[in-house]
Amino acid sequence: MATDITDITHTTHAVEASSVMKLLRARPRLLALGEPTHGEDTLLDVRNELFRRLVEQEGYRTIAIESDCLMGLLVDDYVTGGEGTLHDAMEHGFSHGFGASAANRELVRWAREYNEGRPASDRLRFAGFDGPLEITGAASPRQALTALHSHLTSWLDADELLPCTAATLDHLLGSDERWTEPAAMTDPSRSFGRSPEAAQLRLLADDLVALLDERTPHLIAAAGREAWDRARLYGRTATGLLRYHSWMADTSPARMVRLLGVRDRMMADNLLALAAGGPVLVFAHNSHLQREKSSMRMGDMPLEWWSAGAIVAAHLGAQYAFLPTALGTIRHHGVDAPPPKTVEGLLYALPGDRLLVDARGLAAALGHALPAPRDSPWFGYFGLDPVHLAKADGLIFVKDLAQV
Protein backbone atom coordinates (compact mmCIF):
# COMPACT_ATOMS: atom_id res chain seq x y z
CA MET A 1 0.00 0.00 0.00
CA ALA A 2 1.61 3.26 -1.15
CA THR A 3 -0.28 5.64 1.13
CA ASP A 4 1.93 7.38 3.68
CA ILE A 5 1.31 9.89 6.47
CA THR A 6 1.64 12.93 4.20
CA ASP A 7 -1.10 11.57 1.93
CA ILE A 8 -3.77 11.71 4.65
CA THR A 9 -2.89 14.60 6.94
CA HIS A 10 -5.12 16.90 4.87
CA THR A 11 -8.11 14.76 5.86
CA THR A 12 -7.73 15.39 9.61
CA HIS A 13 -9.00 18.22 11.82
CA ALA A 14 -9.41 19.04 15.49
CA VAL A 15 -12.50 17.51 17.11
CA GLU A 16 -14.67 20.64 17.16
CA ALA A 17 -18.35 21.21 16.49
CA SER A 18 -17.66 23.70 13.72
CA SER A 19 -15.33 21.26 11.96
CA VAL A 20 -17.93 18.49 12.21
CA MET A 21 -20.60 20.68 10.65
CA LYS A 22 -18.30 21.61 7.76
CA LEU A 23 -17.91 17.92 6.87
CA LEU A 24 -21.65 17.37 6.55
CA ARG A 25 -23.55 17.67 3.30
CA ALA A 26 -26.56 19.19 5.05
CA ARG A 27 -27.53 20.22 8.56
CA PRO A 28 -28.84 16.94 10.01
CA ARG A 29 -31.80 16.41 12.29
CA LEU A 30 -29.92 13.44 13.77
CA LEU A 31 -26.15 13.59 14.18
CA ALA A 32 -25.05 10.09 15.23
CA LEU A 33 -21.75 9.57 17.02
CA GLY A 34 -20.72 5.94 17.28
CA GLU A 35 -18.40 4.12 19.67
CA PRO A 36 -16.62 0.84 18.88
CA THR A 37 -16.79 -0.47 22.44
CA HIS A 38 -18.83 0.17 25.58
CA GLY A 39 -17.67 1.10 29.05
CA GLU A 40 -14.85 3.54 28.25
CA ASP A 41 -15.38 6.96 29.79
CA THR A 42 -12.75 8.55 27.55
CA LEU A 43 -15.13 8.09 24.62
CA LEU A 44 -17.99 9.54 26.65
CA ASP A 45 -15.80 12.53 27.55
CA VAL A 46 -15.31 13.15 23.82
CA ARG A 47 -19.09 12.89 23.39
CA ASN A 48 -19.78 15.26 26.27
CA GLU A 49 -17.39 17.90 25.00
CA LEU A 50 -18.82 17.70 21.48
CA PHE A 51 -22.38 17.95 22.81
CA ARG A 52 -21.51 21.06 24.85
CA ARG A 53 -20.10 22.75 21.76
CA LEU A 54 -23.09 21.72 19.66
CA VAL A 55 -25.37 23.22 22.30
CA GLU A 56 -23.41 26.47 22.52
CA GLN A 57 -22.60 26.94 18.84
CA GLU A 58 -25.18 25.01 16.80
CA GLY A 59 -28.41 25.16 18.80
CA TYR A 60 -28.58 21.48 19.78
CA ARG A 61 -30.87 20.81 22.73
CA THR A 62 -31.28 17.00 22.87
CA ILE A 63 -28.94 14.08 23.41
CA ALA A 64 -30.12 10.49 22.93
CA ILE A 65 -28.07 7.50 24.05
CA GLU A 66 -28.22 3.71 23.74
CA SER A 67 -30.16 3.16 26.97
CA ASP A 68 -33.66 2.08 28.00
CA CYS A 69 -36.17 4.56 26.56
CA LEU A 70 -38.53 4.26 29.54
CA MET A 71 -35.83 4.56 32.18
CA GLY A 72 -34.53 7.59 30.30
CA LEU A 73 -37.74 9.47 31.07
CA LEU A 74 -36.56 9.71 34.69
CA VAL A 75 -33.28 11.33 33.60
CA ASP A 76 -35.12 13.73 31.32
CA ASP A 77 -37.45 14.73 34.16
CA TYR A 78 -34.42 15.36 36.37
CA VAL A 79 -32.41 17.46 33.90
CA THR A 80 -35.46 19.59 33.08
CA GLY A 81 -35.88 20.55 36.74
CA GLY A 82 -37.93 17.73 38.22
CA GLU A 83 -37.71 16.47 41.75
CA GLY A 84 -35.28 13.78 42.84
CA THR A 85 -31.53 13.60 43.14
CA LEU A 86 -28.67 13.08 40.75
CA HIS A 87 -28.02 9.76 42.50
CA ASP A 88 -31.58 8.61 41.77
CA ALA A 89 -31.30 9.64 38.14
CA MET A 90 -28.08 7.67 37.70
CA GLU A 91 -29.30 4.68 39.70
CA HIS A 92 -32.69 4.28 38.02
CA GLY A 93 -32.45 6.20 34.74
CA PHE A 94 -29.95 4.08 32.77
CA SER A 95 -29.83 0.51 31.52
CA HIS A 96 -26.81 -1.67 30.59
CA GLY A 97 -24.93 -0.47 33.68
CA PHE A 98 -24.37 2.95 32.09
CA GLY A 99 -25.51 4.75 35.24
CA ALA A 100 -22.20 3.82 36.89
CA SER A 101 -20.22 5.89 34.38
CA ALA A 102 -18.61 9.05 35.75
CA ALA A 103 -18.88 10.64 32.30
CA ASN A 104 -22.61 9.94 32.11
CA ARG A 105 -22.99 11.38 35.59
CA GLU A 106 -21.17 14.53 34.49
CA LEU A 107 -23.42 14.82 31.42
CA VAL A 108 -26.57 14.68 33.56
CA ARG A 109 -25.16 17.07 36.18
CA TRP A 110 -24.13 19.61 33.52
CA ALA A 111 -27.47 19.40 31.69
CA ARG A 112 -29.41 20.07 34.89
CA GLU A 113 -27.14 23.02 35.70
CA TYR A 114 -27.43 24.40 32.16
CA ASN A 115 -31.23 24.30 32.36
CA GLU A 116 -31.54 26.25 35.58
CA GLY A 117 -33.43 29.49 34.97
CA ARG A 118 -34.05 28.78 31.29
CA PRO A 119 -37.52 28.68 29.68
CA ALA A 120 -38.86 25.25 28.79
CA SER A 121 -38.31 25.86 25.07
CA ASP A 122 -34.57 26.39 25.62
CA ARG A 123 -33.87 23.51 28.01
CA LEU A 124 -31.68 20.54 27.23
CA ARG A 125 -33.46 17.20 26.93
CA PHE A 126 -32.26 13.65 27.49
CA ALA A 127 -33.57 10.49 25.85
CA GLY A 128 -32.78 6.82 25.91
CA PHE A 129 -33.62 5.30 22.54
CA ASP A 130 -33.00 1.60 23.15
CA GLY A 131 -35.84 -0.71 24.10
CA PRO A 132 -36.15 -2.12 27.63
CA LEU A 133 -33.83 -4.93 26.58
CA GLU A 134 -30.68 -6.54 27.89
CA ILE A 135 -28.44 -9.19 26.32
CA THR A 136 -30.04 -11.70 28.69
CA GLY A 137 -33.65 -10.93 27.80
CA ALA A 138 -36.39 -8.34 27.70
CA ALA A 139 -38.57 -6.55 30.22
CA SER A 140 -42.23 -7.24 30.82
CA PRO A 141 -44.49 -5.07 28.64
CA ARG A 142 -46.44 -4.14 31.78
CA GLN A 143 -45.05 -0.62 32.30
CA ALA A 144 -45.53 0.48 28.71
CA LEU A 145 -48.96 -1.11 28.24
CA THR A 146 -50.45 0.11 31.50
CA ALA A 147 -49.07 3.64 31.00
CA LEU A 148 -50.59 3.81 27.53
CA HIS A 149 -53.91 2.50 28.82
CA SER A 150 -53.86 4.97 31.71
CA HIS A 151 -53.26 7.90 29.36
CA LEU A 152 -56.19 6.92 27.16
CA THR A 153 -58.41 6.31 30.17
CA SER A 154 -57.59 9.77 31.50
CA TRP A 155 -58.62 11.61 28.35
CA LEU A 156 -61.16 9.42 26.54
CA ASP A 157 -64.50 7.82 27.36
CA ALA A 158 -63.15 4.50 28.58
CA ASP A 159 -66.49 2.69 28.58
CA GLU A 160 -67.19 3.37 24.92
CA LEU A 161 -63.75 3.41 23.31
CA LEU A 162 -61.09 1.37 25.07
CA PRO A 163 -60.82 -2.28 23.97
CA CYS A 164 -60.19 -3.55 27.50
CA THR A 165 -60.03 -2.58 31.13
CA ALA A 166 -56.91 -2.17 33.24
CA ALA A 167 -57.96 -5.30 35.13
CA THR A 168 -57.99 -7.29 31.88
CA LEU A 169 -54.48 -6.14 31.04
CA ASP A 170 -53.27 -7.03 34.51
CA HIS A 171 -54.80 -10.52 34.27
CA LEU A 172 -53.26 -11.21 30.86
CA LEU A 173 -49.84 -9.87 31.88
CA GLY A 174 -49.67 -11.99 35.01
CA SER A 175 -46.43 -11.90 36.97
CA ASP A 176 -43.47 -10.07 35.45
CA GLU A 177 -41.27 -13.11 36.12
CA ARG A 178 -42.98 -15.03 33.33
CA TRP A 179 -41.70 -12.38 30.88
CA THR A 180 -38.21 -11.94 32.31
CA GLU A 181 -37.27 -15.62 32.65
CA PRO A 182 -33.47 -15.60 31.99
CA ALA A 183 -33.45 -19.09 30.48
CA ALA A 184 -35.72 -17.92 27.64
CA MET A 185 -32.84 -16.28 25.78
CA THR A 186 -31.22 -19.65 25.11
CA ASP A 187 -34.28 -21.89 25.43
CA PRO A 188 -37.31 -20.72 23.39
CA SER A 189 -39.56 -23.17 25.22
CA ARG A 190 -39.08 -21.07 28.38
CA SER A 191 -40.44 -17.94 26.72
CA PHE A 192 -43.96 -16.66 27.40
CA GLY A 193 -43.96 -14.72 24.13
CA ARG A 194 -46.27 -17.01 22.13
CA SER A 195 -48.70 -17.96 24.86
CA PRO A 196 -52.44 -17.34 24.30
CA GLU A 197 -52.20 -14.43 26.75
CA ALA A 198 -49.31 -12.85 24.84
CA ALA A 199 -51.18 -13.22 21.54
CA GLN A 200 -54.21 -11.46 23.01
CA LEU A 201 -52.03 -8.71 24.44
CA ARG A 202 -50.53 -8.06 21.00
CA LEU A 203 -54.00 -7.48 19.58
CA LEU A 204 -54.98 -5.22 22.46
CA ALA A 205 -51.74 -3.24 22.21
CA ASP A 206 -52.36 -2.73 18.50
CA ASP A 207 -55.90 -1.49 19.23
CA LEU A 208 -54.69 0.88 21.95
CA VAL A 209 -52.03 2.38 19.67
CA ALA A 210 -54.56 2.72 16.86
CA LEU A 211 -56.95 4.51 19.21
CA LEU A 212 -54.18 6.86 20.31
CA ASP A 213 -53.48 7.74 16.67
CA GLU A 214 -57.15 8.08 15.73
CA ARG A 215 -57.79 10.51 18.58
CA THR A 216 -54.64 12.57 18.03
CA PRO A 217 -56.34 16.00 17.65
CA HIS A 218 -58.42 15.55 20.80
CA LEU A 219 -55.57 14.11 22.88
CA ILE A 220 -53.10 16.85 21.96
CA ALA A 221 -55.69 19.53 22.69
CA ALA A 222 -56.65 17.92 25.99
CA ALA A 223 -53.31 16.78 27.42
CA GLY A 224 -50.68 18.59 25.36
CA ARG A 225 -48.24 17.42 22.71
CA GLU A 226 -45.57 16.31 25.16
CA ALA A 227 -47.99 13.96 26.93
CA TRP A 228 -49.13 12.65 23.54
CA ASP A 229 -45.52 12.09 22.45
CA ARG A 230 -44.87 10.18 25.68
CA ALA A 231 -47.98 8.05 25.12
CA ARG A 232 -46.72 7.23 21.62
CA LEU A 233 -43.43 6.14 23.17
CA TYR A 234 -45.35 3.83 25.49
CA GLY A 235 -47.23 2.43 22.49
CA ARG A 236 -44.08 1.82 20.43
CA THR A 237 -42.41 0.18 23.39
CA ALA A 238 -45.35 -2.07 24.23
CA THR A 239 -45.78 -3.36 20.68
CA GLY A 240 -42.01 -3.73 20.23
CA LEU A 241 -41.59 -5.69 23.46
CA LEU A 242 -44.46 -8.02 22.61
CA ARG A 243 -42.94 -8.63 19.17
CA TYR A 244 -39.52 -9.26 20.74
CA HIS A 245 -40.96 -11.74 23.24
CA SER A 246 -42.75 -13.52 20.42
CA TRP A 247 -39.47 -14.05 18.58
CA MET A 248 -37.81 -15.22 21.78
CA ALA A 249 -40.28 -18.13 21.68
CA ASP A 250 -39.46 -18.94 18.06
CA THR A 251 -37.54 -22.12 17.22
CA SER A 252 -36.63 -21.42 13.59
CA PRO A 253 -33.14 -20.53 12.28
CA ALA A 254 -34.37 -16.95 11.84
CA ARG A 255 -34.78 -16.43 15.60
CA MET A 256 -31.58 -14.53 16.42
CA VAL A 257 -31.59 -12.41 13.27
CA ARG A 258 -35.17 -11.36 13.98
CA LEU A 259 -34.37 -10.53 17.61
CA LEU A 260 -31.50 -8.30 16.48
CA GLY A 261 -33.68 -6.74 13.82
CA VAL A 262 -36.61 -6.10 16.16
CA ARG A 263 -34.31 -4.36 18.64
CA ASP A 264 -32.80 -2.05 16.04
CA ARG A 265 -36.22 -1.33 14.56
CA MET A 266 -37.36 -0.23 18.04
CA MET A 267 -34.31 2.03 18.22
CA ALA A 268 -35.04 3.44 14.76
CA ASP A 269 -38.67 4.21 15.60
CA ASN A 270 -37.56 6.12 18.70
CA LEU A 271 -34.94 8.05 16.73
CA LEU A 272 -37.41 9.00 14.00
CA ALA A 273 -39.77 10.32 16.67
CA LEU A 274 -36.95 12.38 18.20
CA ALA A 275 -35.94 13.68 14.76
CA ALA A 276 -39.24 15.54 14.49
CA GLY A 277 -37.96 17.90 17.18
CA GLY A 278 -34.31 17.89 16.13
CA PRO A 279 -31.45 18.54 15.96
CA VAL A 280 -30.37 15.64 18.20
CA LEU A 281 -26.97 14.21 19.03
CA VAL A 282 -27.29 10.41 19.08
CA PHE A 283 -24.72 8.22 20.82
CA ALA A 284 -24.51 4.43 20.58
CA HIS A 285 -22.34 1.58 19.36
CA ASN A 286 -21.11 1.96 15.78
CA SER A 287 -22.98 -1.21 14.79
CA HIS A 288 -26.33 0.36 15.73
CA LEU A 289 -25.72 3.58 13.80
CA GLN A 290 -23.93 2.64 10.56
CA ARG A 291 -25.65 2.87 7.18
CA GLU A 292 -24.48 -0.58 6.10
CA LYS A 293 -25.84 -3.90 7.31
CA SER A 294 -24.53 -4.87 10.72
CA SER A 295 -23.03 -8.29 11.32
CA MET A 296 -21.74 -10.51 14.08
CA ARG A 297 -21.02 -14.16 14.74
CA MET A 298 -22.74 -16.19 17.40
CA GLY A 299 -20.75 -19.39 17.67
CA ASP A 300 -20.50 -20.70 14.13
CA MET A 301 -23.55 -18.73 12.98
CA PRO A 302 -23.00 -15.50 10.99
CA LEU A 303 -25.78 -12.98 11.60
CA GLU A 304 -26.69 -9.92 9.53
CA TRP A 305 -29.41 -7.31 10.07
CA TRP A 306 -30.17 -3.69 9.23
CA SER A 307 -29.13 -1.34 12.01
CA ALA A 308 -31.18 1.51 13.45
CA GLY A 309 -28.92 3.93 11.59
CA ALA A 310 -29.50 2.19 8.28
CA ILE A 311 -33.28 2.31 8.79
CA VAL A 312 -33.24 5.96 9.85
CA ALA A 313 -30.95 6.95 6.98
CA ALA A 314 -33.38 5.34 4.53
CA HIS A 315 -36.10 7.65 5.90
CA LEU A 316 -34.13 10.86 6.46
CA GLY A 317 -31.46 10.80 3.77
CA ALA A 318 -28.97 13.65 4.28
CA GLN A 319 -30.78 14.72 7.45
CA TYR A 320 -29.10 11.74 9.12
CA ALA A 321 -25.33 11.98 9.60
CA PHE A 322 -23.02 9.36 11.09
CA LEU A 323 -19.56 9.67 12.60
CA PRO A 324 -18.11 6.35 13.81
CA THR A 325 -15.23 6.31 16.28
CA ALA A 326 -12.08 4.22 15.84
CA LEU A 327 -9.36 3.56 18.43
CA GLY A 328 -5.64 3.07 18.62
CA THR A 329 -5.12 1.17 21.88
CA ILE A 330 -7.08 -0.21 24.81
CA ARG A 331 -4.08 -1.69 26.57
CA HIS A 332 -6.01 -2.73 29.67
CA HIS A 333 -7.95 -5.09 27.40
CA GLY A 334 -4.94 -6.31 25.43
CA VAL A 335 -5.54 -4.07 22.39
CA ASP A 336 -2.07 -2.72 21.61
CA ALA A 337 -0.87 -0.36 18.88
CA PRO A 338 -2.61 -1.12 15.58
CA PRO A 339 -0.69 -2.66 12.67
CA PRO A 340 0.71 0.10 10.40
CA LYS A 341 -1.15 -1.19 7.35
CA THR A 342 -4.61 -0.62 8.78
CA VAL A 343 -6.68 2.56 8.83
CA GLU A 344 -6.17 2.72 12.59
CA GLY A 345 -2.43 2.23 12.10
CA LEU A 346 -2.20 5.09 9.60
CA LEU A 347 -4.09 7.42 11.94
CA TYR A 348 -2.11 6.26 14.98
CA ALA A 349 1.10 7.45 13.30
CA LEU A 350 -0.25 11.02 13.04
CA PRO A 351 0.30 13.61 15.77
CA GLY A 352 -2.58 14.34 18.12
CA ASP A 353 -4.54 12.27 20.62
CA ARG A 354 -7.98 12.92 19.10
CA LEU A 355 -8.66 13.55 15.45
CA LEU A 356 -11.70 14.36 13.35
CA VAL A 357 -11.23 12.71 9.96
CA ASP A 358 -12.91 13.46 6.67
CA ALA A 359 -13.94 9.84 6.10
CA ARG A 360 -14.80 10.24 2.42
CA GLY A 361 -11.60 12.17 1.83
CA LEU A 362 -9.62 9.43 3.55
CA ALA A 363 -11.35 6.78 1.44
CA ALA A 364 -10.46 8.73 -1.71
CA ALA A 365 -6.82 9.11 -0.57
CA LEU A 366 -6.57 5.37 0.06
CA GLY A 367 -8.05 4.63 -3.35
CA HIS A 368 -8.89 1.10 -4.38
CA ALA A 369 -6.13 -0.43 -2.25
CA LEU A 370 -8.07 -0.25 0.98
CA PRO A 371 -6.29 -1.68 4.03
CA ALA A 372 -7.53 -4.90 5.55
CA PRO A 373 -9.80 -4.57 8.60
CA ARG A 374 -8.00 -4.63 11.91
CA ASP A 375 -8.36 -7.81 13.94
CA SER A 376 -9.08 -7.20 17.59
CA PRO A 377 -7.69 -9.60 20.20
CA TRP A 378 -10.53 -8.54 22.53
CA PHE A 379 -14.13 -9.46 21.74
CA GLY A 380 -15.42 -6.15 23.17
CA TYR A 381 -13.77 -3.95 20.55
CA PHE A 382 -14.95 -3.90 16.93
CA GLY A 383 -12.28 -2.61 14.55
CA LEU A 384 -13.16 -0.25 11.71
CA ASP A 385 -14.16 -1.82 8.40
CA PRO A 386 -12.40 0.34 5.77
CA VAL A 387 -15.15 -0.46 3.24
CA HIS A 388 -17.52 1.64 5.37
CA LEU A 389 -15.41 4.81 5.17
CA ALA A 390 -16.99 6.13 1.99
CA LYS A 391 -20.49 6.08 3.51
CA ALA A 392 -19.55 7.74 6.81
CA ASP A 393 -19.88 11.51 7.15
CA GLY A 394 -16.75 11.70 9.26
CA LEU A 395 -14.63 9.65 11.63
CA ILE A 396 -13.35 10.36 15.11
CA PHE A 397 -10.09 8.70 16.05
CA VAL A 398 -8.95 8.42 19.68
CA LYS A 399 -5.34 7.30 19.95
CA ASP A 400 -5.23 5.72 23.42
CA LEU A 401 -7.83 4.76 26.00
CA ALA A 402 -6.49 4.90 29.52
CA GLN A 403 -7.89 2.69 32.24
CA VAL A 404 -9.79 4.77 34.76
Side-chain angles (χ1 to χ4, degrees), residues 346-360:
L346 292 170
L347 295 172
Y348 195 78
L350 298 176
D353 295 327
R354 300 174 182 180
L355 301 173
L356 171 66
V357 183
D358 177 350
R360 294 187 179 96

Side-chain angles (χ1 to χ4, degrees), residues 156 211-225 228:
L156 299 177
L211 184 58
L212 178 70
D213 289 342
E214 291 163 17
R215 300 291 164 146
T216 292
H218 168 74
L219 290 168
I220 291 178
R225 175 168 287 276
W228 179 79

Side-chain angles (χ1 to χ4, degrees), residues 59 83 130 161 177 198 202 302 317:
E83 296 180 358
D130 200 355
L161 294 174
E177 288 74 15
R202 289 188 74 179

